[in-house]
């Protein structure tokens, strides 16, 4: 029977050479994990806030699940972590107080999208892996598992993701099978007792990092009565075709990619109004009508409208820059409230994660930071120099950055057909980037 390989020192070069997409490994007691309990609670409470703003219709999608003794709960509000809980420990105490001896599981997908601190640390950690194996085009997934459940609600299963498990609280057991242990034509099983002999286990404790490739069947189990908390990061490896990305490109052609459902309804691709039921296409004698139904004609026209070469190329540039600065974790957390920047303010950018800049054409340019993007109009030469200064990592005064740009009055008196960005335009860009947290305001006064 195979056994889990155990290591104590986490090193990306060794990991990629020995374990990446090859076999599981358990790193015991390492301090390498990017996840902290406080950040996890902050992100979980943020996910609850987002959930409570959503529709309660039965067909609405949610990143949150809560089970009690394996039964999925339809009304989640009473069971979710709220900001008023104050901490993950207090949330746990509240839930245990209500459930008594019953078991529960809280699962939150896309955890990073609700907490900037968690997202930024996770991006920094995995950026070292991306440098060695490549950035996942569709992004990795991050899921919180919290509770005292007996085993994973879905049972034994196979993912299309190669997975890292970061243990934060309590003890947890992961059970693995190198090959599918059953012969029935089903993808998952809940009762896997007959197949225990072919399995091997890894028991994780706080501080441990467990990795397994996507080829291993697995199930998470309780390692006692205590509540356990872990964060799983999955990186797509199998059954994830490049064609899936086309939807991303089309949905955001009018506005920005990764649109919410509400934003999607406002795009031209969503304005096809013809009924999906095509009347009159079959005659009494059986032959099909040679004319395409109205719904298909409208869809083709809408697609042709949004796929004009100039719009498409510009949108693809925006999409790619956002994906790069998201660092493999999308959707990114929402921007913070936009603040004012005075000439005396000192700002800087983390050189590990620069603001990306690209010229679209003679009249337009794009900049992107932390998974957000801005499209600007005007000559790009001075703008490129501004981002070059920012991305150096050195502190710089806002007034110094804006000195090369004209005031609006000066631009109004200028000649030429190419629009030039003004100081006010670029100050607004810097303020937006501060809201994206792509640059940091350090204070006011002269530089040291």
């Amino acid at each position: 029977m195979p056994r889990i390989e155990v290591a104590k020192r986490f090193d990306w070069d060794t990991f990629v050479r020995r374990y990446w997409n090859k076999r599981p490994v358990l790193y015991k007691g390492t301090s390498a994990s990017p996840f902290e309990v406080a950040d996890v609670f902050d992100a979980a409470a943020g996910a609850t806030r987002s959930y409570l703003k959503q529709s309660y219709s039965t067909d609405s999608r949610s990143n949150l699940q809560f089970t009690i003794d394996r039964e999925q709960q339809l009304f989640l509000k009473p069971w979710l972590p709220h900001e008023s809980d104050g901490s993950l420990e207090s949330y746990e105490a509240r839930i245990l107080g209500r459930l008594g001896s019953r078991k529960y599981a809280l699962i939150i997908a896309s955890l990073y999208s609700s907490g900037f601190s968690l997202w930024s640390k996770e991006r920094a950690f995995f950026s070292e892996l991306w440098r060695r194996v490549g950035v996942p085009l569709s992004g990795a997934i991050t899921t919180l598992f919290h509770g005292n459940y007996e085993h994973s609600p879905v049972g034994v299963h196979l993912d299309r993701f190669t997975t890292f498990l970061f243990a934060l609280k309590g003890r947890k057991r992961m059970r693995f099978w190198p090959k599918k242990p059953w012969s029935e034509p089903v993808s998952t099983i809940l009762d896997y007792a007959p197949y225990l002999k072919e399995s091997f286990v890894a028991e994780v404790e706080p501080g441990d990092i467990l990795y397994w490739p996507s080829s291993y069947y697995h199930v998470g189990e309780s390692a006692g009565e205590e509540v356990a908390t872990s964060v799983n990061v999955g990186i797509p490896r199998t059954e994830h075709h490049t064609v899936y990305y086309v939807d991303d490109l089309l949905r955001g052609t009018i506005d920005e990619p990764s649109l919410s459902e509400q934003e999607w309804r406002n795009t031209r691709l969503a304005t096809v109004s013809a009924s999906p039921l095509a009347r009159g296409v079959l005659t009494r004698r059986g032959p099909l009508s040679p004319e395409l139904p109205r719904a298909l004609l409208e869809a083709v026209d809408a697609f042709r409208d949004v796929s004009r070469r100039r719009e498409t190329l510009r949108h693809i540039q925006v999409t790619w820059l956002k994906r790069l600065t998201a660092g493999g974790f999308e959707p990114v957390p929402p921007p913070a409230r936009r603040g004012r920047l005075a000439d005396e303010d000192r700002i800087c950018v983390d050189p590990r994660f620069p603001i990306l800049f690209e010229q679209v054409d003679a009249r337009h340019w794009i900049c992107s930071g932390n998974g957000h993007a801005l499209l600007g109009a005007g000559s790009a030469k001075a703008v490129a120099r501004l981002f070059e200064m920012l991305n150096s990592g050195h502190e710089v005064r806002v007034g110094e950055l804006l000195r090369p740009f004209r005031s609006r009055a000066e631009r109004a008196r200028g000649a030429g057909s190419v629009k030039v960005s003004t100081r006010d335009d670029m100050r607004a860009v810097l303020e937006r980037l501060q809201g994206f947290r792509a640059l940091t305001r350090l204070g006011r006064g002269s530089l040291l």
Side-chain angles (χ1 to χ4, degrees), residues 82-150:
H82 294 266
E83 198 169 14
S84 58
D85 287 317
S87 68
L88 194 63
E89 291 77 10
S90 296
Y91 163 70
E92 173 188 323
R94 174 168 65 85
I95 298 301
L96 290 176
R98 293 192 62 176
L99 294 179
S101 61
R102 291 181 292 172
K103 306 287 188 180
Y104 77 94
L106 169 70
I107 302 174
I108 303 180
S110 297
L111 182 67
Y112 50 74
S113 63
S114 301
F116 179 79
S117 180
L118 182 144
W119 175 86
S120 60
K121 293 173 184 175
E122 183 176 4
R123 177 184 62 166
F125 179 82
F126 279 98
S127 66
E128 295 300 321
L129 178 61
W130 306 154
R131 290 190 179 97
R132 291 164 173 81
V133 303
V135 178
L137 287 178
S138 62
I141 62 170
T142 302
T143 307
L144 170 66
F145 293 90
H146 169 83
N148 57 357
Y149 50 93
E150 182 181 354

Side-chain angles (χ1 to χ4, degrees), residues 16-78:
V16 171
R17 184 176 68 255
R18 297 188 61 178
Y19 305 111
W20 175 247
N21 293 319
K22 295 183 179 74
R23 58 185 182 274
V25 59
L26 173 61
Y27 291 93
K28 291 293 296 182
T30 175
S31 59
S33 173
F35 297 104
E36 299 177 15
V37 173
D39 291 336
V40 167
F41 173 74
D42 178 67
T48 297
R49 289 194 299 271
S50 298
Y51 167 77
L52 295 178
K53 295 177 183 177
Q54 296 174 2
S55 166
Y56 283 92
S57 63
T58 55
D59 62 346
S60 63
R61 292 175 293 179
S62 173
N63 290 336
L64 295 91
Q65 299 178 57
F66 192 91
T67 64
I68 300 176
D69 290 338
R70 298 189 189 179
E71 293 185 0
Q72 291 277 357
Q73 302 302 297
L74 180 60
F75 300 103
L76 301 181
K77 184 177 179 180

Side-chain angles (χ1 to χ4, degrees), residues 227-277:
V227 173
T229 304
S230 63
V231 175
N232 286 18
V233 176
I235 302 165
R237 288 293 304 165
T238 60
E239 299 181 17
H240 203 88
H241 307 295
T242 308
V243 70
Y244 297 166
Y245 313 141
V246 173
D247 183 60
D248 258 1
L249 296 176
L250 293 181
R251 283 168 66 91
T253 298
I254 308 307
D255 298 302
E256 291 200 334
S258 302
L259 298 179
S260 68
E261 290 302 315
Q262 182 60 45
E263 291 171 317
W264 161 242
R265 296 190 191 104
N266 295 328
T267 67
R268 276 177 281 183
L269 285 177
T271 59
V272 177
S273 59
S275 170
L277 299 176

Side-chain angles (χ1 to χ4, degrees), residues 161-177:
F161 299 90
T162 187
T163 303
F164 291 84
L165 182 155
F166 299 86
L168 298 174
K169 184 181 182 298
R171 295 169 56 245
K172 192 170 187 177
R173 180 186 300 117
M174 291 298 301
R175 186 175 296 275
F176 297 101
W177 290 261

